Amino acid sequence: MSAVSTARTESGYRPIEDYGVIGDMHTVALVGKDGSIDWCCLPRFDAPSVFARILDADKGGHFQISLRGEHVTSKQFYWPETNVLVTRFLSDEGVGEVRDFMPVAGRADEADRRQIVRMVRAVRGTVTFRVECQPAFDYARADHETVRTERGACFHGDEQALSLATEIDLARVDDGVAADVTLREGESTTLLLRDIEPGEGCAPTLSPEEAERAFRDTVQYWRDWLSQCTYTGRWREEVYRSALVLKLLTYEPTGAIVAAPTCSLPEDIGGVRNWDYRYTWIRDAAFTLYAFLRIGFTEEARAFIGFLTNLCQLDAAGEGPLQIMYGIDGETELTEQALDHLEGYRGSTPVRIGNGAYDQLQLDIYGELIDAIYLHDKYGAPVSYETWQSVRHFVNWVCEHWQRADQGVWEVRGGPKQFVYSKLMCWVAVDRALRLSRKRSLPAPEATWQQCRDAIYEAIMDEGWSDERQAFTQQFGDDTLDASNLIMPLVRFISPGDSRMLHTLDETLKSPDQGGLVTGGLVYRYNLGETHDGLEGEEGTFNICTFWLVEALTRASRIEPERLEDARLIFEQMLGYSNHLGLYAEETGTHGEALGNFPQAFTHLALISAAYNLDRTLDR
């Protein structure tokens, strides 16, 4: 919670790690250390943005509340055990703060409206805040009319509208509004931003008592939810924050879980690796289920299983019975397009919405999904008849198609290959289905499934292992490493103390210039010089892979105890790469900066799993 300057860089962009996130399980807003909401899609995750300054500093749109004055610095922190964000400004004149949240309980008004409450307060001294609200509807493609009212302003577009309710006297500035408001110590005022129907009247403002009640109700909601957490280990604060992030990434109406709430934040500044993650990846959601179940949250798992059951009734747009990703309402077509009118974060183009990988063949999703169903049956509720019917359908399909080439876990755009990780997760799919059928006495063609499972195992051991490299490889018959193979002992494919796994660990731990994947304790997913993924440019280390390394080392310590200290050191070091709020993006750059979409479910779920298993092993 160190103080920082509120100034932006010369480019007009803040570092990706300079943001906090608030939300209400329908959508989120990213709030910078300077009090600016620079990303928000209303009324749901995948809706067009109304604020997108993070993707275009000039025309993306923003909603900023900051302190006037010289030598202003800021601190940002979460109200303990909640997703209520506090931005505190410190200046020569005094101290002011903004409390940002989206009501999820005791809503200020109708439940079908998304609302952002911004409570502005003078903590010490007399301070002047600058308020600026400049919406830019439909990714800054749509015009709107700005109408000032007695208590705020309304912004009306053809397809969308916003109401900003406040007692502050706002002035028209360009297509938005702005004002200065001076508060004496102890005084406060509240701004309520809300999506409304085009042509609808503006929403009423909140009285101080109503704002305080909405704040307290929201705080209580998050604390009540978090009280279900069963983790009591060494890294409770970090696990709590990760759980709160994952909850924000769930879509309450359907049970879907988005991979991240942003689009086109670059994996390589100035490069083309910019993707839209506001969808439900079967893989990511299944891993999220595992993380939730591991620390006591069964309701989220139940809701996603319900979402999945509905998906099984849809025709997939890909080559298997399931797509790799869906829209949060189960949409199957997620056509990718480039928004050429936007500059992109620090010039990183193209800015993409939609995701062209939605119809790829990625065989691994069946393993992750059926493993999650298996765990939900174990820790949540017994599998239903309908779900078991789907499982049988998936596994029968896997048995027929596991030998096919696919695009793999990393969604390469360089053509299908025989990825080892894809085969591994096909093995998991069949293995977990066999275990489930035996545990629940469910009907299944056991002999066929067992024969398939054994064939996959033999293929991985024969073709996915390199005697020359002394490691499991990225593809059948090659010598390239891939960090996804670190998950082998985690899914019980191989003993963590097996010599092949220990050798793979040792090879992975080498630096990239020695043929490995680890630099400074952080892990690349693969070597870009050896893997043709169909894209130009570089990328950072993959955070989930670093946490996978921690887990692999933790499990290997049962055979080689000295590896446990290595696991803990890498884990503790990785915690130091979170931002000031304990949040992570997808990747970490060479200067320790956050890269990729933010916050990223993959990273936070892997942190939970690593913390759980490392803590348990240290207690033995």
Side-chain angles (χ1 to χ4, degrees):
M1 203 174 72
S2 59
V4 298
S5 168
T6 60
R8 288 178 174 262
T9 63
E10 291 181 8
S11 67
Y13 296 93
R14 295 199 71 89
I16 293 171
E17 63 268 21
D18 270 14
Y19 289 91
V21 61
I22 58 173
D24 62 357
M25 283 75 73
H26 289 75
T27 190
V28 305
L30 295 192
V31 186
K33 286 181 179 177
D34 57 356
S36 182
I37 294 177
D38 289 347
W39 176 256
C40 183
C41 300
L42 291 172
R44 43 188 262 169
F45 292 110
D46 58 356
S49 64
V50 295
F51 304 117
R53 180 151 72 170
I54 202 168
L55 294 179
D56 193 303
D58 293 327
K59 56 178 176 279
H62 65 280
F63 180 15
Q64 184 166 4
I65 303 176
S66 56
L67 206 61
R68 287 281 204 186
E70 297 290 327
H71 310 113
V72 177
T73 59
S74 69
K75 297 181 178 181
Q76 202 174 45
F77 57 94
Y78 280 109
W79 204 263
E81 300 181 349
T82 76
N83 280 313
V84 175
L85 186 65
V86 180
T87 306
R88 182 172 292 162
F89 299 96
L90 303 93
S91 72
D92 294 339
E93 288 73 34
V95 178
E97 70 177 27
V98 181
R99 296 179 186 175
D100 286 315
F101 61 93
M102 297 183 72
V104 289
R107 290 175 169 84
D109 231 314
E110 300 104 298
D112 63 343
R113 291 285 183 260
R114 311 275 59 84
Q115 302 172 95
I116 297 173
V117 178
R118 313 200 74 181
M119 299 173 67
V120 186
R121 179 168 168 258
V123 179
R124 302 186 69 177
T126 298
V127 293
T128 299
F129 289 89
R130 177 66 174 174
V131 176
E132 297 177 1
C133 187
Q134 295 279 348
F137 293 119
D138 191 20
Y139 307 106
R141 292 183 295 191
D143 295 330
H144 67 268
E145 178 187 7
T146 301
V147 179
R148 291 176 57 232
T149 68
E150 287 186 4
R151 291 198 168 185
C154 282
F155 311 95
H156 290 284
D158 290 338
E159 303 293 332
Q160 196 169 14
L162 290 175
S163 164
L164 177 59
T166 177
E167 295 182 345
I168 300 170
D169 185 18
L170 300 170
R172 176 77 178 267
V173 177
D174 298 325
D175 290 328
V177 292
D180 288 339
V181 56
T182 300
L183 301 174
R184 293 190 294 272
E185 187 169 319
E187 290 182 338
S188 65
T189 189
T190 298
L191 296 92
L192 174 66
L193 185 80
R194 181 179 178 198
D195 76 304
I196 57 176
E197 295 295 328
E200 185 181 343
C202 292
T205 188
L206 295 180
S207 69
E209 294 76 20
E210 289 171 324
E212 182 67 19
R213 185 167 63 251
F215 166 74
R216 289 179 178 270
D217 286 346
T218 304
V219 166
Q220 194 61 47
Y221 170 86
W222 288 115
R223 289 184 173 164
D224 287 346
W225 180 80
L226 197 58
S227 67
Q228 302 170 72
C229 185
T230 57
Y231 179 84
T232 58
R234 292 166 176 80
W235 299 284
R236 188 169 66 173
E237 186 174 339
E238 291 83 359
V239 168
Y240 276 9
R241 179 52 50 200
S242 290
L244 285 163
V245 170
L246 293 179
K247 180 63 173 174
L248 280 182
L249 301 184
T250 62
Y251 182 59
E252 191 175 63
T254 64
I257 302 169
V258 298
T262 56
C263 70
S264 282
L265 293 183
E267 299 172 18
D268 176 27
I269 301 297
V272 300
R273 297 169 182 263
N274 319 314
W275 315 109
D276 190 346
Y277 277 10
R278 298 172 298 158
Y279 305 111
T280 295
W281 270 254
I282 295 294
R283 172 191 310 111
D284 300 43
F287 278 139
T288 303
L289 252 64
Y290 170 82
F292 273 140
L293 288 168
R294 183 53 76 195
I295 56 175
F297 296 101
T298 57
E299 180 61 26
E300 289 70 25
R302 183 201 61 77
F304 181 73
I305 295 295
F307 174 71
L308 173 72
T309 301
N310 291 331
L311 292 185
C312 297
Q313 300 165 12
L314 302 173
D315 291 328
E319 298 180 61
L322 279 179
Q323 289 181 197
I324 66 164
M325 73 179 90
Y326 294 85
I328 55 177
D329 271 335
E331 298 91 342
T332 55
E333 292 190 24
L334 309 175
T335 305
E336 185 173 293
Q337 60 177 300
L339 302 180
D340 295 330
H341 67 289
L342 294 179
E343 178 185 47
Y345 178 82
R346 291 174 57 188
S348 304
T349 56
V351 172
R352 293 183 176 95
I353 57 173
N355 199 303
Y358 74 92
D359 59 355
Q360 283 190 355
L361 177 65
Q362 296 175 19
L363 294 167
D364 66 285
I365 64 171
Y366 299 97
E368 288 124 1
L369 178 61
I370 296 173
D371 193 30
I373 292 171
Y374 171 79
L375 291 169
H376 184 247
D377 178 271
K378 185 175 182 179
Y379 297 108
V383 64
S384 70
Y385 170 78
E386 286 76 16
T387 302
W388 179 245
Q389 290 294 88
S390 297
V391 168
R392 285 204 294 181
H393 177 50
F394 298 154
V395 175
N396 287 335
W397 187 88
V398 167
C399 287
E400 293 177 10
H401 296 275
W402 71 268
Q403 297 181 66
R404 292 179 61 181
D406 71 341
Q407 277 89 358
V409 60
W410 307 126
E411 288 176 10
V412 298
R413 300 198 177 192
K417 302 286 191 302
Q418 294 286 351
F419 290 106
V420 171
Y421 180 84
S422 297
K423 311 307 180 189
L424 169 70
M425 297 313 289
C426 285
W427 178 91
V428 170
V430 184
D431 177 74
R432 298 310 189 266
L434 280 166
R435 292 178 186 231
L436 198 51
S437 70
R438 291 164 183 164
K439 181 181 178 183
R440 295 294 181 200
S441 301
L442 295 167
E446 283 200 23
T448 301
W449 287 3
Q450 187 163 334
Q451 185 178 17
C452 174
R453 182 189 64 179
D454 294 348
I456 299 172
Y457 180 92
E458 298 290 1
I460 293 172
M461 289 301 189
D462 290 343
E463 301 177 63
W465 170 261
S466 169
D467 284 326
E468 181 180 345
R469 194 67 187 268
Q470 284 293 291
F472 288 107
T473 58
Q474 183 183 69
Q475 303 169 33
F476 279 178
D478 75 355
D479 291 323
T480 302
L481 296 182
D482 194 302
S484 62
N485 289 333
L486 293 170
I487 210 170
M488 283 183 170
L490 281 57
V491 297
R492 303 183 187 279
F493 172 80
I494 190 171
S495 164
D498 188 289
S499 62
R500 288 192 170 198
M501 196 62 227
L502 295 176
H503 285 308
T504 300
L505 262 178
D506 290 335
E507 287 297 305
T508 302
L509 282 163
K510 292 179 180 178
S511 64
D513 58 0
Q514 295 176 316
L517 299 176
V518 178
T519 176
L522 304 179
V523 185
Y524 289 98
R525 53 182 178 169
Y526 48 74
N527 189 317
L528 279 173
E530 299 177 9
T531 299
H532 176 60
D533 60 11
L535 296 166
E536 298 296 324
E538 302 293 321
E539 62 183 28
T541 54
F542 248 66
N543 295 332
I544 190 174
C545 298
T546 303
F547 286 123
W548 281 348
L549 175 62
V550 171
E551 284 214 58
L553 288 167
T554 299
R555 293 172 190 256
S557 70
R558 298 169 190 171
I559 307 301
E560 297 181 347
E562 66 275 11
R563 292 190 187 264
L564 185 59
E565 186 61 22
D566 293 340
R568 182 167 186 173
L569 287 172
I570 292 172
F571 182 75
E572 298 278 13
Q573 178 176 275
M574 187 59 193
L575 295 181
Y577 283 103
S578 72
N579 80 347
H580 58 292
L581 298 167
L583 306 181
Y584 292 89
E586 183 177 31
E587 302 178 16
T588 300
T590 53
H591 306 290
E593 73 275 22
L595 293 174
N597 285 306
F598 173 89
Q600 181 80 9
F602 243 5
T603 307
H604 286 281
L605 63 88
L607 184 156
I608 290 173
S609 183
Y612 178 90
N613 286 297
L614 180 57
D615 188 71
R616 185 174 61 173
T617 304
L618 286 167
D619 284 341
R620 284 180 175 165

